[in-house]
């Protein structure tokens, strides 16, 4: 061990990489390149696929403006707005001194922190049908408070979409996501989730579309041929 030589050992022959897809959705910085994939470009693709699904499910959506939930969803929201032909606006301003709310202990603490973390620009909501775009919906605490803030700011209708599919089980490879009973999507349909967070409708990214969002922009030199967890 003290010879100064570097030794490399491969434990598994013909190992197939299986990166955690939530890295591309949320954890990684947008300027990161992971396994030959630009996180920024994959999030643009997520926005494209989201917009296509919204147009399929709600062809007469009547969306006036697309607003991201800062900060991670901004890239996906920007591309979704472009593909939907709707204006993109910054309706929430983030307090950068408040930590990530979904990992905070206690429901009361999380609810209070959402209101401290974000302030609304009321002119972007007043009298409009607003599409809010977030990277994911975990417990639903943040989503519920944000929808209520949008309504308090004067939004006529509030729609919500997630760049990730419904999270119904803990992510043991990432962060300490709560037990399945705490996850808002566990054993609930999309209409039930919409009612729970208080929006008019909710749209989730399809899992295949999310996988394709990453694979579509993979490097030709290092294509992602394995599965994404």
């Amino acid at each position: 061990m003290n010879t100064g030589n570097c030794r490399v050992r491969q434990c598994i022959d013909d190992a197939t990489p299986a990166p955690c897809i939530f890295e591309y959705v949320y954890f990684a910085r947008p300027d990161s390149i992971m396994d030959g994939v630009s996180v920024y470009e994959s999030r643009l693709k997520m926005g494209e696929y989201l917009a296509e699904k919204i147009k399929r499910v709600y062809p007469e959506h009547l969306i006036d403006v697309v607003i991201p939930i800062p900060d991670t969803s901004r890239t996906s929201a920007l591309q979704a707005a472009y593909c939907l032909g709707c204006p993109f606006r910054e309706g929430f301003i983030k307090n950068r001194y408040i930590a990530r709310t979904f990992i905070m202990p206690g429901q009361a603490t999380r609810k209070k922190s959402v209101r401290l973390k974000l302030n609304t620009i009321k002119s972007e909501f007043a009298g409009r049908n607003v599409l809010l775009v977030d990277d994911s919906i975990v417990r639903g605490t943040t989503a519920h408070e944000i929808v209520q803030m949008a309504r308090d700011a004067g939004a006529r209708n509030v729609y919500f979409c997630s760049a990730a599919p419904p999270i119904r089980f803990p992510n043991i490879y990432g962060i300490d996501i709560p037990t399945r009973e705490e996850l808002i999507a566990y054993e609930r349909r999309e209409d039930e989730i919409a009612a729970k967070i208080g929006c008019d409708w909710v749209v989730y990214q399809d899992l295949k579309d999310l996988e394709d969002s990453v694979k579509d922009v993979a490097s030709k030199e290092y294509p992602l041929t394995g599965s994404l967890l």
Side-chain angles (χ1 to χ4, degrees), residues 99-174:
R100 290 173 171 173
T101 54
F102 87 95
I103 60 174
M104 290 180 174
Q107 184 78 347
T109 301
R110 289 190 293 269
K111 290 182 68 173
K112 180 180 178 182
S113 296
V114 173
R115 294 279 180 164
L116 294 174
K117 182 179 181 178
L118 297 172
N119 286 323
T120 57
I121 299 175
K122 293 187 176 181
S123 60
E124 297 296 351
F125 293 92
R128 293 177 174 177
N129 298 321
V130 179
L131 175 66
L132 304 180
V133 180
D134 207 351
D135 49 70
S136 57
I137 308 174
V138 184
R139 291 182 181 91
T141 306
T142 301
H144 179 271
E145 291 299 315
I146 285 172
V147 168
Q148 189 57 52
M149 290 172 69
R151 294 198 187 280
D152 292 345
R156 182 187 302 120
N157 290 295
V158 181
Y159 315 123
F160 207 102
C161 67
S162 166
I167 300 173
R168 295 192 168 96
F169 304 96
N171 176 13
I172 60 174
Y173 296 105

Side-chain angles (χ1 to χ4, degrees), residues 205-227:
Q205 187 88 270
D206 291 333
L207 179 58
K208 184 181 184 303
D209 288 346
L210 179 58
E211 292 175 342
D212 289 344
S213 297
V214 178
K215 292 180 178 180
D216 286 354
V217 297
S219 166
K220 293 181 179 178
E221 186 177 359
Y222 302 104
L224 282 177
T225 56
S227 61

